[in-house]
Amino acid sequence: MKHLLAVPAFIFSINVMGACPEFLERPTSAPPGLPNGDLASAIDMHNAGVETRAYIAEIEQFLQCEPQGLSIMHNVLVERVEEAASAYNVELAKYRARQEIAATN
């Protein structure tokens, strides 16, 4: 049974590594600046979401292709992704709360 699971996992890992660049650079971009959800327009929040998702995707691609033995860097990058997503979600919640108040008045 273990062999049945190992073969698809191996094939998947080959496909993931096949999409990796030959030379892998650590992501150096900073998390995107976020607008204040209490004041931002819909366009500002949309653009912030696009930038945040691009930032997260850049790090996720690196983590998929990351050479083994870089566990400290891995943990730092995962933490950056979680912080960026959390910060965006906080501002998005503020924006949505403001929109809900405006819709009920």
XYZ file of all heavy atoms in Angstrom:
803
model
N 0.819 -1.187 0.000
C 0.000 0.000 0.000
C 0.870 1.262 0.000
O 0.543 2.234 -0.653
C -0.938 -0.051 1.211
C -1.868 1.101 1.284
S -3.029 1.040 -0.096
C -4.152 2.266 0.382
N 1.959 1.215 0.769
C 2.849 2.372 0.827
C 3.409 2.697 -0.557
O 3.589 3.851 -0.899
C 3.995 2.131 1.806
C 3.584 2.141 3.244
C 4.786 1.915 4.130
C 4.372 1.766 5.570
N 5.490 1.499 6.449
N 3.679 1.647 -1.331
C 4.236 1.852 -2.662
C 3.228 2.529 -3.582
O 3.595 3.293 -4.453
C 4.700 0.528 -3.266
C 5.794 -0.107 -2.478
N 7.048 0.432 -2.404
C 5.808 -1.217 -1.704
C 7.796 -0.333 -1.628
N 7.071 -1.341 -1.192
N 1.952 2.231 -3.392
C 0.916 2.852 -4.213
C 0.853 4.356 -3.970
O 0.555 5.128 -4.872
C -0.446 2.216 -3.937
C -0.613 0.765 -4.377
C -1.975 0.241 -3.955
C -0.431 0.638 -5.876
N 1.131 4.779 -2.759
C 1.139 6.207 -2.441
C 2.460 6.856 -2.827
O 2.497 8.038 -3.165
C 0.875 6.418 -0.950
C -0.497 5.969 -0.454
C -0.580 6.121 1.053
C -1.599 6.737 -1.137
N 3.524 6.108 -2.764
C 4.847 6.671 -3.049
C 5.012 7.024 -4.520
O 5.624 8.034 -4.845
C 5.935 5.695 -2.611
N 4.459 6.233 -5.401
C 4.621 6.484 -6.834
C 3.964 7.798 -7.251
O 4.607 8.638 -7.876
C 4.104 5.287 -7.666
C 4.077 5.622 -9.137
C 4.972 4.071 -7.403
N 2.679 8.063 -6.909
C 2.103 9.361 -7.281
C 2.827 10.532 -6.623
O 2.995 11.587 -7.241
C 0.662 9.265 -6.789
C 0.371 7.823 -6.676
C 1.683 7.172 -6.354
N 3.268 10.351 -5.385
C 4.005 11.420 -4.721
C 5.311 11.714 -5.448
O 5.701 12.871 -5.618
C 4.293 11.045 -3.267
N 5.997 10.665 -5.895
C 7.238 10.848 -6.638
C 6.980 11.556 -7.967
O 7.696 12.483 -8.338
C 7.924 9.503 -6.878
C 9.157 9.601 -7.712
C 10.308 10.167 -7.196
C 9.182 9.153 -9.020
C 11.459 10.269 -7.955
C 10.314 9.253 -9.794
C 11.466 9.818 -9.263
N 5.940 11.142 -8.671
C 5.614 11.770 -9.964
C 5.257 13.229 -9.754
O 5.682 14.101 -10.508
C 4.481 10.995 -10.662
C 5.001 9.622 -11.103
C 3.913 11.781 -11.844
C 3.941 8.680 -11.596
N 4.483 13.524 -8.700
C 4.131 14.909 -8.399
C 5.379 15.729 -8.102
O 5.512 16.852 -8.564
C 3.159 14.974 -7.220
C 2.830 16.371 -6.813
C 1.992 17.151 -7.604
C 3.357 16.925 -5.658
C 1.679 18.450 -7.248
C 3.063 18.222 -5.299
C 2.220 18.980 -6.094
N 6.307 15.175 -7.345
C 7.522 15.925 -7.007
C 8.359 16.200 -8.250
O 8.984 17.255 -8.357
C 8.353 15.187 -5.957
O 8.897 14.002 -6.489
N 8.360 15.302 -9.204
C 9.080 15.542 -10.460
C 8.438 16.696 -11.210
O 9.121 17.580 -11.728
C 9.099 14.267 -11.332
C 9.978 13.208 -10.691
C 9.576 14.581 -12.739
C 9.902 11.867 -11.388
N 7.099 16.730 -11.255
C 6.398 17.813 -11.939
C 6.655 19.157 -11.276
O 6.838 20.163 -11.937
C 4.893 17.535 -11.991
C 4.552 16.432 -12.954
O 5.311 16.175 -13.886
N 3.432 15.785 -12.728
N 6.645 19.200 -9.952
C 6.907 20.449 -9.240
C 8.328 20.912 -9.511
O 8.563 22.075 -9.818
C 6.659 20.274 -7.722
C 7.186 21.470 -6.953
C 5.170 20.084 -7.456
N 9.276 20.014 -9.418
C 10.667 20.398 -9.640
C 10.900 20.776 -11.097
O 11.747 21.588 -11.406
C 11.615 19.274 -9.216
C 11.668 19.052 -7.716
S 12.041 20.540 -6.764
C 13.749 20.754 -7.166
N 10.132 20.201 -12.016
C 10.272 20.546 -13.423
C 9.903 21.997 -13.690
O 10.392 22.611 -14.632
N 9.037 22.575 -12.866
C 8.624 23.966 -13.033
C 9.579 24.925 -12.346
O 9.422 26.136 -12.451
C 7.214 24.150 -12.480
N 10.565 24.415 -11.665
C 11.497 25.258 -10.923
C 12.597 25.773 -11.841
O 13.082 25.038 -12.703
C 12.136 24.465 -9.784
S 10.937 23.981 -8.530
N 13.007 27.013 -11.650
C 14.111 27.541 -12.451
C 15.413 26.843 -12.078
O 15.541 26.289 -10.988
C 14.148 29.020 -12.073
C 13.433 29.125 -10.778
C 12.472 27.987 -10.717
N 16.353 26.896 -13.007
C 17.641 26.244 -12.760
C 18.371 26.896 -11.587
O 18.960 26.234 -10.759
C 18.499 26.334 -14.020
C 19.767 25.515 -13.926
C 20.511 25.490 -15.235
O 19.854 25.411 -16.297
O 21.739 25.571 -15.193
N 18.343 28.230 -11.544
C 18.966 28.955 -10.445
C 17.856 29.589 -9.635
O 17.043 30.337 -10.162
C 19.922 30.033 -10.976
C 20.546 30.856 -9.886
C 21.502 30.315 -9.058
C 20.155 32.165 -9.684
C 22.070 31.058 -8.042
C 20.719 32.922 -8.681
C 21.680 32.369 -7.853
N 17.798 29.288 -8.369
C 16.704 29.727 -7.513
C 17.177 30.829 -6.577
O 18.095 30.624 -5.795
C 16.188 28.531 -6.717
C 14.947 28.724 -5.894
C 13.764 29.056 -6.809
C 14.640 27.462 -5.120
N 16.573 31.999 -6.687
C 16.900 33.105 -5.789
C 15.850 33.209 -4.709
O 14.667 33.022 -4.967
C 16.937 34.428 -6.560
C 18.207 34.651 -7.317
C 18.296 36.070 -7.838
O 17.891 36.995 -7.129
O 18.776 36.226 -8.954
N 16.308 33.544 -3.519
C 15.377 33.753 -2.414
C 14.565 35.010 -2.695
O 15.109 36.015 -3.146
C 16.174 33.920 -1.123
C 15.318 34.095 0.112
C 16.204 34.228 1.311
N 16.924 35.481 1.218
C 16.811 36.477 2.086
N 16.029 36.366 3.113
N 17.496 37.588 1.932
N 13.259 34.983 -2.443
C 12.454 36.178 -2.672
C 12.951 37.334 -1.807
O 13.205 37.169 -0.618
C 11.050 35.759 -2.230
C 11.055 34.283 -2.265
C 12.461 33.858 -2.001
N 13.115 38.483 -2.427
C 13.636 39.636 -1.696
C 12.623 40.766 -1.599
O 12.887 41.752 -0.929
C 14.909 40.181 -2.368
O 14.605 40.505 -3.725
C 16.040 39.175 -2.320
N 11.487 40.617 -2.277
C 10.522 41.707 -2.235
C 9.911 41.818 -0.841
O 9.775 40.840 -0.113
C 9.428 41.490 -3.279
O 8.710 40.318 -2.984
N 9.559 43.039 -0.504
C 8.912 43.299 0.774
C 7.413 43.087 0.619
O 6.885 43.161 -0.491
C 9.196 44.733 1.205
N 6.722 42.834 1.711
C 5.275 42.711 1.606
C 4.692 44.019 1.062
O 5.238 45.093 1.309
C 4.813 42.483 3.046
C 6.025 42.228 3.846
C 7.200 42.676 3.064
N 3.608 43.918 0.328
C 3.041 45.139 -0.246
C 2.505 46.062 0.838
O 2.073 45.609 1.898
C 1.910 44.612 -1.127
C 1.585 43.278 -0.592
C 2.845 42.734 0.004
N 2.565 47.365 0.556
C 1.957 48.320 1.464
C 0.450 48.192 1.366
O -0.100 48.019 0.286
N -0.218 48.250 2.490
C -1.659 48.055 2.505
C -2.364 49.374 2.805
O -1.923 50.137 3.664
C -2.040 47.022 3.559
C -1.491 45.624 3.332
C -1.841 44.727 4.504
C -2.030 45.043 2.046
N -3.479 49.616 2.121
C -4.253 50.813 2.431
C -4.998 50.630 3.748
O -5.224 49.507 4.195
C -5.228 50.913 1.259
C -5.393 49.515 0.785
C -4.061 48.849 1.038
N -5.377 51.736 4.352
C -6.170 51.695 5.566
C -7.592 51.301 5.179
O -8.254 52.005 4.420
C -6.155 53.076 6.233
C -6.926 53.112 7.531
O -7.788 52.288 7.787
N -6.611 54.083 8.367
N -8.066 50.200 5.689
C -9.389 49.704 5.350
C -10.510 50.645 5.744
O -11.598 50.597 5.181
N -10.259 51.517 6.722
C -11.269 52.487 7.139
C -11.446 53.597 6.113
O -12.460 54.283 6.119
C -10.903 53.104 8.490
C -10.984 52.104 9.633
O -11.861 51.208 9.576
O -10.188 52.208 10.579
N -10.456 53.786 5.238
C -10.490 54.904 4.294
C -10.367 54.488 2.835
O -10.628 55.296 1.946
C -9.336 55.872 4.621
C -9.258 56.397 6.056
C -7.964 57.156 6.277
C -10.469 57.256 6.368
N -9.972 53.277 2.563
C -9.632 52.836 1.207
C -10.852 52.716 0.311
O -11.959 52.417 0.764
C -8.917 51.502 1.274
N -10.610 52.919 -0.977
C -11.655 52.700 -1.984
C -11.652 51.225 -2.380
O -10.730 50.467 -2.042
C -11.380 53.564 -3.210
O -10.230 53.095 -3.892
N -12.680 50.843 -3.127
C -12.763 49.459 -3.610
C -11.576 49.129 -4.504
O -11.019 48.029 -4.436
C -14.079 49.243 -4.358
N -11.172 50.087 -5.322
C -10.026 49.865 -6.213
C -8.749 49.681 -5.411
O -7.936 48.803 -5.724
C -9.891 51.032 -7.215
C -11.085 51.019 -8.172
C -8.580 50.963 -7.974
C -11.177 52.219 -9.075
N -8.568 50.488 -4.355
C -7.381 50.348 -3.504
C -7.328 48.961 -2.863
O -6.271 48.327 -2.831
C -7.371 51.417 -2.400
C -7.162 52.812 -2.924
O -6.616 52.970 -4.039
O -7.547 53.769 -2.209
N -8.470 48.498 -2.363
C -8.498 47.181 -1.719
C -8.277 46.066 -2.736
O -7.578 45.098 -2.455
C -9.820 46.973 -0.973
C -9.972 47.861 0.256
S -8.588 47.787 1.429
C -8.630 46.101 1.955
N -8.850 46.235 -3.924
C -8.630 45.235 -4.982
C -7.148 45.154 -5.345
O -6.576 44.060 -5.411
C -9.459 45.572 -6.221
C -9.132 44.714 -7.392
N -9.563 43.403 -7.497
C -8.375 44.946 -8.493
C -9.092 42.884 -8.609
N -8.383 43.796 -9.239
N -6.542 46.315 -5.571
C -5.114 46.341 -5.937
C -4.245 45.763 -4.829
O -3.280 45.045 -5.102
C -4.673 47.762 -6.286
C -5.292 48.256 -7.575
O -5.745 47.472 -8.401
N -5.321 49.564 -7.752
N -4.583 46.057 -3.582
C -3.823 45.509 -2.454
C -3.955 43.984 -2.417
O -2.987 43.281 -2.130
C -4.300 46.119 -1.145
N -5.156 43.478 -2.733
C -5.354 42.028 -2.770
C -4.524 41.375 -3.858
O -3.912 40.331 -3.650
N -4.487 42.009 -5.036
C -3.687 41.483 -6.146
C -2.210 41.461 -5.767
O -1.510 40.467 -5.987
C -3.925 42.315 -7.427
C -2.917 41.972 -8.509
C -5.352 42.123 -7.927
N -1.728 42.556 -5.187
C -0.311 42.638 -4.799
C 0.014 41.635 -3.697
O 1.085 41.010 -3.721
C 0.019 44.055 -4.334
C 0.005 45.079 -5.449
C 0.161 46.513 -4.948
O 0.418 46.714 -3.736
O 0.009 47.430 -5.766
N -0.877 41.479 -2.735
C -0.640 40.526 -1.646
C -0.595 39.101 -2.179
O 0.288 38.320 -1.813
C -1.723 40.667 -0.554
O -1.698 42.004 -0.033
C -1.499 39.686 0.583
N -1.533 38.751 -3.064
C -1.528 37.394 -3.645
C -0.277 37.149 -4.481
O 0.283 36.048 -4.465
C -2.800 37.168 -4.457
C -4.028 36.930 -3.578
C -5.250 36.544 -4.379
N -5.788 37.633 -5.174
C -6.567 38.608 -4.713
N -6.901 38.636 -3.447
N -7.019 39.553 -5.519
N 0.203 38.162 -5.195
C 1.430 38.013 -5.991
C 2.636 37.794 -5.075
O 3.507 36.962 -5.357
C 1.647 39.234 -6.878
N 2.685 38.544 -3.978
C 3.770 38.399 -2.992
C 3.763 36.981 -2.420
O 4.806 36.322 -2.350
C 3.587 39.438 -1.885
C 4.532 39.304 -0.733
C 5.865 39.685 -0.858
C 4.102 38.814 0.494
C 6.739 39.565 0.216
C 4.964 38.696 1.558
C 6.285 39.069 1.414
O 7.147 38.956 2.472
N 2.580 36.504 -2.037
C 2.462 35.164 -1.467
C 2.831 34.107 -2.502
O 3.544 33.145 -2.197
C 1.042 34.947 -0.903
C 0.851 35.829 0.344
C 0.780 33.483 -0.593
C -0.577 35.896 0.845
N 2.388 34.276 -3.744
C 2.700 33.307 -4.808
C 4.198 33.225 -5.066
O 4.734 32.135 -5.298
C 1.966 33.683 -6.087
N 4.888 34.373 -5.023
C 6.340 34.386 -5.231
C 7.039 33.539 -4.165
O 7.921 32.730 -4.469
C 6.864 35.826 -5.193
C 8.363 35.932 -5.293
C 8.878 37.351 -5.086
O 8.103 38.249 -4.706
O 10.089 37.554 -5.290
N 6.621 33.707 -2.921
C 7.243 32.948 -1.834
C 6.853 31.476 -1.923
O 7.693 30.592 -1.725
C 6.873 33.556 -0.470
C 7.559 34.921 -0.323
C 7.272 32.627 0.670
C 7.234 35.671 0.933
N 5.595 31.201 -2.239
C 5.174 29.800 -2.354
C 5.944 29.070 -3.452
O 6.309 27.911 -3.283
C 3.674 29.718 -2.609
C 2.853 30.009 -1.375
C 1.364 29.992 -1.629
O 0.940 30.118 -2.797
O 0.622 29.859 -0.647
N 6.198 29.741 -4.580
C 6.969 29.106 -5.647
C 8.380 28.791 -5.153
O 8.902 27.713 -5.405
C 7.049 29.991 -6.879
C 7.867 29.331 -7.985
C 8.075 30.222 -9.191
O 7.751 31.403 -9.173
N 8.629 29.660 -10.237
N 8.984 29.717 -4.453
C 10.317 29.473 -3.910
C 10.295 28.289 -2.948
O 11.170 27.423 -3.002
C 10.850 30.718 -3.197
C 12.168 30.484 -2.514
C 13.343 30.518 -3.236
C 12.230 30.209 -1.159
C 14.568 30.292 -2.621
C 13.450 29.977 -0.540
C 14.619 30.024 -1.268
N 9.285 28.237 -2.077
C 9.223 27.161 -1.086
C 9.018 25.799 -1.742
O 9.526 24.794 -1.257
C 8.120 27.443 -0.066
C 8.384 28.634 0.853
C 7.183 28.885 1.753
C 9.649 28.462 1.665
N 8.285 25.747 -2.867
C 8.111 24.485 -3.576
C 9.416 24.012 -4.200
O 9.654 22.819 -4.324
C 7.059 24.627 -4.671
C 5.655 24.717 -4.148
C 4.645 24.908 -5.266
O 5.012 25.183 -6.402
N 3.381 24.783 -4.950
N 10.243 24.940 -4.603
C 11.486 24.597 -5.296
C 12.699 24.628 -4.367
O 13.807 24.342 -4.801
C 11.727 25.580 -6.441
S 10.429 25.567 -7.681
N 12.477 24.992 -3.128
C 13.552 25.209 -2.173
C 14.406 23.954 -1.986
O 13.873 22.872 -1.777
C 12.914 25.614 -0.839
C 13.820 25.619 0.333
C 13.046 25.880 1.617
O 11.913 25.428 1.752
O 13.626 26.527 2.474
N 15.717 24.135 -2.059
C 16.600 22.996 -1.770
C 16.445 22.567 -0.307
O 16.139 23.378 0.551
C 18.007 23.552 -2.001
C 17.821 24.823 -2.731
C 16.448 25.318 -2.433
N 16.642 21.300 -0.063
C 16.546 20.799 1.306
C 17.661 21.412 2.155
O 18.714 21.741 1.664
C 16.658 19.277 1.313
C 15.518 18.601 0.581
C 14.172 18.922 1.177
O 14.019 18.955 2.383
N 13.191 19.161 0.329
N 17.406 21.544 3.446
C 18.424 22.053 4.355
C 18.299 23.544 4.620
O 19.139 24.123 5.295
N 17.264 24.178 4.092
C 17.079 25.598 4.342
C 15.873 25.814 5.256
O 15.065 26.701 5.050
C 16.879 26.350 3.020
C 18.036 26.281 2.037
C 17.665 26.986 0.742
C 19.278 26.914 2.630
N 15.750 24.996 6.291
C 14.545 24.998 7.114
C 14.347 26.314 7.867
O 13.213 26.735 8.066
C 14.551 23.826 8.084
O 15.653 23.920 8.947
N 15.414 26.977 8.291
C 15.267 28.253 8.986
C 14.698 29.284 8.027
O 13.757 30.008 8.365
C 16.614 28.723 9.583
C 17.038 27.776 10.696
C 16.500 30.145 10.102
C 18.413 28.030 11.224
N 15.225 29.351 6.826
C 14.710 30.285 5.828
C 13.262 29.930 5.488
O 12.426 30.815 5.327
C 15.552 30.269 4.555
C 15.103 31.316 3.556
S 15.878 31.248 1.943
C 17.538 30.809 2.257
N 12.976 28.656 5.394
C 11.614 28.205 5.109
C 10.649 28.757 6.156
O 9.609 29.318 5.825
C 11.574 26.674 5.081
C 10.207 26.115 4.884
N 9.700 25.843 3.643
C 9.236 25.786 5.770
C 8.483 25.381 3.759
N 8.176 25.329 5.050
N 11.005 28.613 7.420
C 10.140 29.076 8.504
C 9.959 30.595 8.460
O 8.859 31.095 8.690
C 10.704 28.650 9.855
C 10.638 27.148 10.046
O 9.907 26.452 9.352
N 11.425 26.646 10.976
N 11.011 31.325 8.165
C 10.927 32.785 8.076
C 9.988 33.189 6.942
O 9.140 34.077 7.098
C 12.327 33.415 7.890
C 12.242 34.871 7.502
C 13.158 33.236 9.148
N 10.113 32.543 5.803
C 9.273 32.881 4.660
C 7.816 32.506 4.899
O 6.912 33.251 4.515
C 9.805 32.214 3.390
C 11.142 32.775 2.894
C 11.657 31.955 1.727
C 11.015 34.235 2.507
N 7.572 31.382 5.543
C 6.200 31.004 5.880
C 5.600 32.036 6.822
O 4.452 32.454 6.668
C 6.145 29.583 6.492
C 4.787 29.296 7.111
C 6.482 28.545 5.446
N 6.389 32.487 7.777
C 5.925 33.517 8.706
C 5.602 34.816 7.961
O 4.596 35.468 8.238
C 6.988 33.770 9.774
C 6.520 34.669 10.890
C 7.551 34.777 11.996
O 8.047 33.730 12.458
O 7.852 35.915 12.400
N 6.437 35.189 6.982
C 6.166 36.388 6.190
C 4.847 36.276 5.432
O 4.076 37.229 5.356
C 7.290 36.630 5.180
C 8.520 37.227 5.749
C 9.439 37.596 4.614
N 10.765 37.880 5.073
C 11.795 38.065 4.273
N 11.637 37.966 2.961
N 12.977 38.327 4.754
N 4.601 35.115 4.853
C 3.352 34.888 4.120
C 2.160 35.011 5.062
O 1.171 35.678 4.751
C 3.365 33.507 3.430
C 1.978 33.089 2.989
C 4.310 33.527 2.243
N 2.262 34.391 6.220
C 1.162 34.447 7.182
C 0.918 35.879 7.659
O -0.235 36.301 7.789
C 1.454 33.528 8.369
C 1.384 32.059 8.007
C 1.836 31.141 9.111
O 2.372 31.625 10.141
O 1.658 29.915 8.955
N 1.985 36.629 7.898
C 1.835 38.017 8.339
C 1.217 38.889 7.253
O 0.355 39.725 7.532
C 3.186 38.593 8.768
C 3.699 38.023 10.075
C 5.124 38.459 10.385
O 5.758 39.183 9.582
O 5.619 38.071 11.465
N 1.648 38.707 6.007
C 1.107 39.497 4.901
C -0.373 39.198 4.710
O -1.192 40.115 4.546
C 1.879 39.224 3.609
N -0.745 37.930 4.737
C -2.146 37.551 4.567
C -2.991 38.064 5.720
O -4.090 38.589 5.513
C -2.261 36.038 4.447
N -2.478 37.957 6.922
C -3.215 38.420 8.097
C -3.415 39.933 8.061
O -4.516 40.428 8.333
C -2.473 38.015 9.372
O -3.146 38.501 10.503
N -2.371 40.673 7.716
C -2.474 42.130 7.653
C -3.493 42.554 6.602
O -4.307 43.462 6.829
C -1.110 42.747 7.352
N -3.480 41.894 5.445
C -4.459 42.205 4.407
C -5.874 41.887 4.895
O -6.795 42.671 4.697
C -4.163 41.444 3.117
C -5.245 41.650 2.085
C -5.361 42.856 1.411
C -6.170 40.651 1.816
C -6.373 43.062 0.486
C -7.183 40.852 0.895
C -7.277 42.058 0.232
O -8.288 42.267 -0.661
N -6.047 40.745 5.541
C -7.374 40.354 6.019
C -7.924 41.323 7.057
O -9.122 41.589 7.090
C -7.354 38.928 6.564
C -7.210 37.903 5.461
O -7.593 38.147 4.322
N -6.659 36.753 5.798
N -7.054 41.882 7.903
C -7.484 42.880 8.890
C -8.020 44.121 8.178
O -9.102 44.621 8.504
C -6.323 43.247 9.850
C -6.628 44.509 10.639
C -6.016 42.090 10.781
N -7.269 44.619 7.206
C -7.709 45.817 6.474
C -8.954 45.533 5.645
O -9.846 46.382 5.537
C -6.581 46.356 5.599
C -5.378 46.845 6.384
C -5.706 47.861 7.469
O -6.594 48.723 7.263
O -5.088 47.798 8.547
N -9.052 44.327 5.078
C -10.231 43.956 4.307
C -11.467 43.886 5.206
O -12.555 44.328 4.814
C -10.011 42.618 3.603
C -11.129 42.143 2.676
C -11.361 43.156 1.548
C -10.788 40.774 2.113
N -11.313 43.373 6.411
C -12.435 43.318 7.358
C -12.903 44.727 7.723
O -14.113 44.981 7.804
C -12.027 42.543 8.610
N -11.958 45.650 7.912
C -12.325 47.046 8.198
C -13.096 47.636 7.021
O -14.104 48.306 7.203
C -11.077 47.895 8.450
C -10.368 47.618 9.740
C -9.172 48.565 9.820
C -8.210 48.225 10.899
N -7.032 49.129 10.883
N -12.599 47.386 5.818
C -13.244 47.907 4.609
C -14.660 47.346 4.478
O -15.614 48.089 4.218
C -12.412 47.549 3.376
C -13.117 47.847 2.077
C -13.189 49.149 1.589
C -13.736 46.833 1.357
C -13.853 49.424 0.407
C -14.399 47.102 0.180
C -14.455 48.393 -0.294
O -15.126 48.666 -1.454
N -14.810 46.049 4.657
C -16.131 45.430 4.525
C -17.097 45.918 5.590
O -18.287 46.120 5.311
C -16.003 43.907 4.569
C -15.402 43.343 3.309
C -15.319 41.845 3.345
N -14.844 41.331 2.070
C -14.391 40.110 1.897
N -14.353 39.256 2.912
N -13.966 39.723 0.718
N -16.611 46.110 6.810
C -17.466 46.637 7.882
C -17.945 48.046 7.522
O -19.119 48.372 7.711
C -16.712 46.646 9.205
N -17.055 48.855 6.988
C -17.434 50.203 6.566
C -18.445 50.158 5.441
O -19.417 50.906 5.432
C -16.187 50.980 6.130
C -16.460 52.443 5.838
C -15.237 53.097 5.323
N -14.911 52.420 4.059
C -14.134 52.912 3.128
N -13.551 54.046 3.287
N -13.907 52.256 2.018
N -18.260 49.244 4.489
C -19.212 49.118 3.383
C -20.575 48.648 3.881
O -21.604 49.104 3.377
C -18.667 48.137 2.329
C -17.431 48.624 1.614
C -17.686 49.938 0.888
O -18.681 50.112 0.207
N -16.763 50.860 1.035
N -20.583 47.762 4.843
C -21.840 47.266 5.384
C -22.599 48.385 6.103
O -23.812 48.513 5.953
C -21.577 46.107 6.351
C -22.817 45.400 6.820
C -22.494 44.181 7.652
O -21.646 43.383 7.231
O -23.108 44.058 8.727
N -21.880 49.197 6.866
C -22.503 50.339 7.549
C -23.071 51.317 6.525
O -24.193 51.808 6.669
C -21.496 51.032 8.479
C -21.187 50.143 9.678
C -22.028 52.382 8.954
C -20.039 50.609 10.524
N -22.314 51.582 5.490
C -22.769 52.511 4.446
C -23.998 51.962 3.730
O -24.891 52.729 3.345
C -21.645 52.784 3.452
N -24.080 50.672 3.535
C -25.206 50.066 2.823
C -26.489 50.094 3.660
O -27.581 50.136 3.107
C -24.875 48.643 2.427
N -26.351 50.054 4.976
C -27.534 50.039 5.839
C -28.036 51.444 6.156
O -29.135 51.594 6.664
C -27.250 49.292 7.152
O -26.160 49.911 7.823
C -26.942 47.833 6.865
N -27.255 52.464 5.869
C -27.692 53.849 6.161
C -28.363 54.462 4.978
O -28.273 54.336 3.893
C -26.510 54.711 6.574
C -26.048 54.346 7.983
O -26.832 53.840 8.754
N -24.809 54.612 8.276
